């Protein structure tokens, strides 16, 4: 690439207004600005290998952490369901448990043959009014009450536990899905950055070729050895290469931001590949072996089956709610009252002060049965329908797994051929443009041939980069779609699980 000094903040309008600069010098100014943007990212970014990127993502990605917290949520739901086996214990109280109790009451006696009625009003007839007695109670009370019960026959308990267990199993499988998706996304971003950086380097070289050719044509034009058409073609070619570099630089910035997001890096941090684009790995399994592994191991299939089992047990629990519950019940109560009990207002109630203690206890079997009008029966039918839906989803996931494996395996095999073909095409394009330039320099060729061969070199560079990218993506997808962990990623996921607990 030609050495150019330019202010990266210079606008295109300012450049176009500088009539003293030639077309190639203006292009150099624009290229310098693009190069400054790319170098700024390159210098500030951390250079990491693919294995390091996967380890960073597994450790930092918040989406994976969220998926693990969901597992913990369902673990506690299972524990809550299992604790239905435990007896329940309650401590209640009187009114109040500890406090003052004051009662005042009046008793009037009518037609009591064992009492002598007396007149309480002067001049009135004897026996016209009943005798009345006023009494009161003023005590300090302590009245605790405790009860314990155990539903030792509860038809809904074990189905609830089984449903919670299947729900937890589903969440663990979905966590594996999240981890595999994260690894695939990191690999895809990493390979894309490698590919884009390779294209940028290739097109810088192509730009350099065009830049040198433009200088030659300008010198020849000044001595009338080439026409304005030849000069304009070279300038157009130069700007076309510059526009392609602009697009790749924009793509490079976007992909670096995407990789940083998937790695869960801090706001100010970036990461870039520390190695050039190259073929990732070979896939050792055959297509039938890969399909068999996918069908047996894909967590999406197993998660749908676990969801179906959860729905089935939920339905059984609702149906069983119509069966009776047999329980063992016991309770005990203490009531202590200290103070005046049945005292007479206005009199000396010293002899009425008492300490009264009452114990109550009961133990035995209990029986509960409820009828809700068929609400739970209808809800159970809904659960059974959901069970069938999840089983159909599992079959759909199985078909999708087979389709994904077939597609990725086909891309893997075709991309292996494409890489070899693209390399040959790239080598031929290099030879062709060098030969065309050599012929042009000695006056045997024309500018159109050079422009065409340079375009062919650019096309061959893109084809080679794309074929390597497609190969790497296909291998990464085969790992993902066959439920196979690449490298040591399985151990990294298990370590992350331990660290999050």
């Amino acid at each position: 690439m030609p050495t150019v000094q330019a202010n990266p903040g210079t606008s295109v309008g300012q450049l176009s207004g500088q009539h003293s600069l030639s077309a190639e010098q203006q292009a150099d100014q624009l290229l310098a600005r693009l190069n400054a943007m790319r170098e700024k990212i390159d210098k500030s970014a951390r250079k990491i290998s693919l294995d390091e990127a996967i380890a960073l993502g597994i450790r930092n990605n918040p989406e994976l952490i969220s998926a693990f917290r969901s597992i913990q949520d369902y673990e506690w739901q299972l524990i809550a369901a299992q604790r239905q086996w435990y007896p329940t214990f309650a401590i209640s109280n009187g009114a109040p448990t500890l406090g003052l109790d004051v009662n005042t009451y009046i008793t009037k006696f009518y037609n009591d043959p064992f009492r002598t009625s007396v007149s309480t009003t002067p001049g009135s007839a004897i026996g016209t009014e009943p005798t009345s007695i006023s009494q009161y109670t003023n005590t300090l009370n302590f009245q605790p009450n405790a009860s314990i019960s155990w539903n030792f026959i509860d038809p809904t308990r074990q189905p609830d536990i089984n449903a919670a267990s299947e729900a937890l199993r589903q969440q663990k499988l979905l966590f594996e899905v999240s981890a595999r998706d994260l690894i695939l996304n990191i690999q895809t971003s990493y390979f894309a950055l490698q590919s884009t950086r390779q294209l940028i380097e290739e097109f810088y070289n192509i730009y350099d070729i065009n830049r040198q050719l433009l200088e030659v044509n300008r010198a020849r034009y000044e001595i009338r050895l080439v026409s304005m058409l030849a000069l304009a073609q070279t300038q157009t070619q130069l700007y076309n290469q510059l526009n392609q570099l602009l697009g790749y630089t924009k793509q490079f910035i976007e992909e670096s931001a995407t990789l940083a997001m998937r790695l869960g890096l801090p706001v100010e941090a970036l990461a870039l590949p520390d190695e050039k684009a190259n073929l990732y790995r070979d896939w050792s399994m055959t297509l039938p072996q890969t399909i068999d592994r996918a069908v047996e191991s894909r967590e999406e299939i197993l998660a749908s089956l676990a969801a179906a089992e959860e729905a089935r047990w939920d339905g059984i629990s609702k149906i069983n709610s119509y069966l009776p519950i047999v329980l063992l019940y016991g309770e005990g109560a203490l009531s202590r009252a200290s103070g005046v009990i049945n005292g007479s207002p206005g009199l000396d109630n010293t002899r009425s002060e008492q300490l009264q203690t009452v114990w109550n206890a009961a133990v035995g079997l209990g029986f509960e049965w409820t009828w809700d009008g068929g609400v739970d029966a209808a809800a159970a039918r809904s659960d059974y329908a959901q069970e069938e839906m999840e089983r159909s989803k599992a079959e759909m996931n199985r078909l999708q797994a087979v389709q994904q494996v077939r597609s990725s395996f086909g891309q893997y095999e075709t991309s292996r051929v494409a890489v070899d073909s693209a390399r040959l095409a790239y080598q031929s394009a290099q030879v062709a443009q060098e030969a065309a330039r050599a012929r042009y320099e000695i006056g045997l060729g024309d500018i159109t041939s050079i422009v065409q061969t340079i375009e062919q070199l650019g096309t061959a560079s893109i084809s080679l980069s794309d074929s390597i990218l497609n190969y790497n993506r296909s291998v990464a997808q085969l790992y993902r779609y066959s439920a196979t962990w690449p490298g040591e990623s399985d151990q990294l996921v298990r370590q992350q699980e331990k660290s999050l607990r």
Side-chain angles (χ1 to χ4, degrees):
M1 188 187 76
T3 303
V4 191
Q5 295 294 331
N7 179 8
T10 307
S11 67
V12 177
Q14 289 172 322
L15 287 173
S16 62
Q18 298 173 358
H19 299 291
S20 59
L21 295 177
S22 63
E24 56 269 31
Q25 290 173 327
Q26 294 181 36
D28 288 344
Q29 294 274 17
L30 296 173
L31 184 65
R33 293 172 61 192
L34 288 180
N35 194 43
M37 287 187 283
R38 189 175 66 91
E39 287 184 349
K40 182 178 180 181
I41 295 174
D42 195 69
K43 290 178 180 179
S44 62
R46 174 184 172 184
K47 309 303 186 297
I48 58 176
S49 67
L50 178 57
D51 290 340
E52 290 173 331
I54 292 174
L56 272 175
I58 291 173
R59 187 165 61 249
N60 297 332
N61 188 272
E63 187 175 355
L64 189 62
I65 295 174
S66 174
F68 180 79
R69 297 306 179 199
S70 180
I71 290 178
Q72 293 181 309
D73 174 19
Y74 280 83
E75 284 176 341
W76 283 109
Q77 290 186 34
L78 175 58
I79 292 172
Q82 291 170 335
R83 288 180 179 177
Q84 292 180 35
W85 277 102
Y86 297 168
T88 58
F89 179 77
I91 297 178
S92 58
N93 58 281
T97 302
L98 178 65
L100 187 65
D101 189 7
V102 178
N103 294 304
T104 300
Y105 50 93
I106 299 174
T107 304
K108 291 185 177 183
F109 298 95
Y110 296 95
N111 302 320
D112 185 351
F114 300 103
R115 287 181 175 270
T116 302
S117 296
V118 296
S119 175
T120 58
T121 305
S124 63
I126 296 175
T128 58
E129 291 185 8
T131 299
S132 65
I133 298 176
S134 297
Q135 292 179 317
Y136 76 96
T137 298
N138 187 351
T139 59
L140 181 63
N141 291 353
F142 178 56
Q143 308 173 90
N145 183 29
S147 65
I148 185 170
S149 65
W150 178 44
N151 298 352
F152 65 92
I153 298 179
D154 185 349
T156 66
R157 177 170 47 217
Q158 193 57 47
D160 287 343
I161 293 173
N162 293 346
S165 177
E166 292 297 333
L168 173 60
R169 185 164 71 94
Q170 180 190 13
Q171 290 304 312
K172 289 181 177 179
L173 290 166
L174 293 177
F175 172 78
E176 301 291 301
V177 171
S178 298
R180 294 189 191 278
D181 285 341
L182 174 63
I183 291 171
L184 176 61
N185 290 335
I186 290 172
Q187 290 172 320
T188 301
S189 294
Y190 193 92
F191 294 146
L193 265 172
Q194 284 182 321
S195 178
T196 303
R197 187 165 61 182
Q198 176 181 328
L199 285 172
I200 290 174
E201 292 174 356
E202 289 293 336
F203 275 85
Y204 266 120
N205 293 333
I206 294 173
Y207 178 91
D208 192 20
I209 294 172
N210 278 304
R211 179 70 171 78
Q212 295 174 11
L213 181 62
L214 182 57
E215 290 180 355
V216 171
N217 279 346
R218 181 171 295 281
R220 289 188 174 188
Y221 173 74
E222 291 175 354
I223 59 176
R224 301 299 184 264
L225 290 180
V226 297
S227 65
M228 175 60 72
L229 176 61
L231 183 62
Q233 281 183 303
T234 311
Q235 291 176 342
T236 302
Q237 182 79 359
L238 187 71
Y239 282 117
N240 286 339
Q241 302 299 334
L242 184 61
N243 286 333
Q244 286 180 291
L245 275 171
L246 174 62
Y248 291 135
T249 302
K250 177 176 176 292
Q251 188 174 333
F252 180 82
I253 294 172
E254 292 174 351
E255 289 168 351
S256 63
T258 301
L259 181 61
M261 177 194 70
R262 289 172 174 169
L263 298 183
L265 298 180
V267 176
E268 69 281 357
L270 287 173
L272 292 176
D274 66 351
E275 51 196 11
K276 293 185 177 181
N278 206 344
L279 298 184
Y280 178 39
R281 291 175 180 173
D282 288 330
W283 184 250
S284 58
M285 286 188 283
T286 64
L287 178 58
Q289 290 172 335
T290 308
I291 291 176
D292 289 343
R293 180 177 177 84
V295 171
E296 292 174 1
S297 306
R298 280 288 289 270
E299 289 86 359
E300 294 91 336
I301 302 173
L302 300 176
S304 294
L305 293 175
E309 284 297 299
E310 177 194 2
R312 184 174 73 88
W313 284 113
D314 280 339
I316 292 174
S317 175
K318 291 181 176 65
I319 292 297
N320 287 358
S321 68
Y322 292 105
L323 299 176
I325 296 174
V326 181
L327 57 92
L328 181 65
Y329 181 80
E331 69 173 356
L334 168 66
S335 175
R336 302 192 69 178
S338 176
V340 176
I341 299 177
N342 297 330
S344 299
L347 300 179
D348 183 6
N349 293 295
T350 303
R351 293 181 178 273
S352 297
E353 294 181 358
Q354 306 174 39
L355 174 61
Q356 191 178 73
T357 303
V358 179
W359 290 91
N360 290 315
V363 64
L365 296 177
F367 173 85
E368 290 182 6
W369 182 80
T370 58
W371 170 253
D372 64 357
V375 173
D376 279 346
R381 291 290 183 181
S382 172
D383 289 330
Y384 294 148
Q386 185 176 357
E387 176 193 358
E388 295 303 318
M389 179 189 72
E390 292 294 341
R391 294 194 186 281
S392 297
K393 187 183 293 185
E395 178 62 19
M396 189 63 225
N397 287 335
R398 186 189 69 81
L399 295 174
Q400 185 180 30
V402 174
Q403 178 270 325
Q404 288 173 331
V405 167
R406 288 187 183 277
S407 177
S408 299
F409 198 90
Q411 184 179 3
Y412 166 73
E413 292 198 317
T414 56
S415 60
R416 284 198 302 175
V417 178
V419 168
D420 293 337
S421 175
R423 280 176 174 163
L424 293 174
Y426 178 77
Q427 293 170 1
S428 297
Q430 280 186 318
V431 172
Q433 67 87 18
E434 290 172 359
R437 288 169 57 197
R439 285 173 55 83
Y440 183 74
E441 288 175 0
I442 62 176
L444 296 179
D446 56 19
I447 191 61
T448 302
S449 299
I450 295 181
V451 170
Q452 290 175 345
T453 55
I454 291 176
E455 288 179 350
Q456 290 169 357
L457 179 60
T459 302
S461 299
I462 295 172
S463 297
L464 179 58
S465 177
D466 288 347
S467 62
I468 294 175
L469 177 61
N470 290 334
Y471 175 91
N472 291 340
R473 281 177 175 170
S474 66
V475 174
Q477 288 170 355
L478 284 171
Y479 275 103
R480 169 63 185 92
Y481 298 144
S482 66
T484 303
W485 296 103
E488 299 180 353
S489 55
D490 185 20
Q491 291 87 337
L492 293 172
V493 172
R494 303 289 84 83
Q495 290 173 7
Q496 177 67 351
E497 285 182 307
K498 290 181 181 178
S499 67
L500 289 174
R501 288 193 180 277

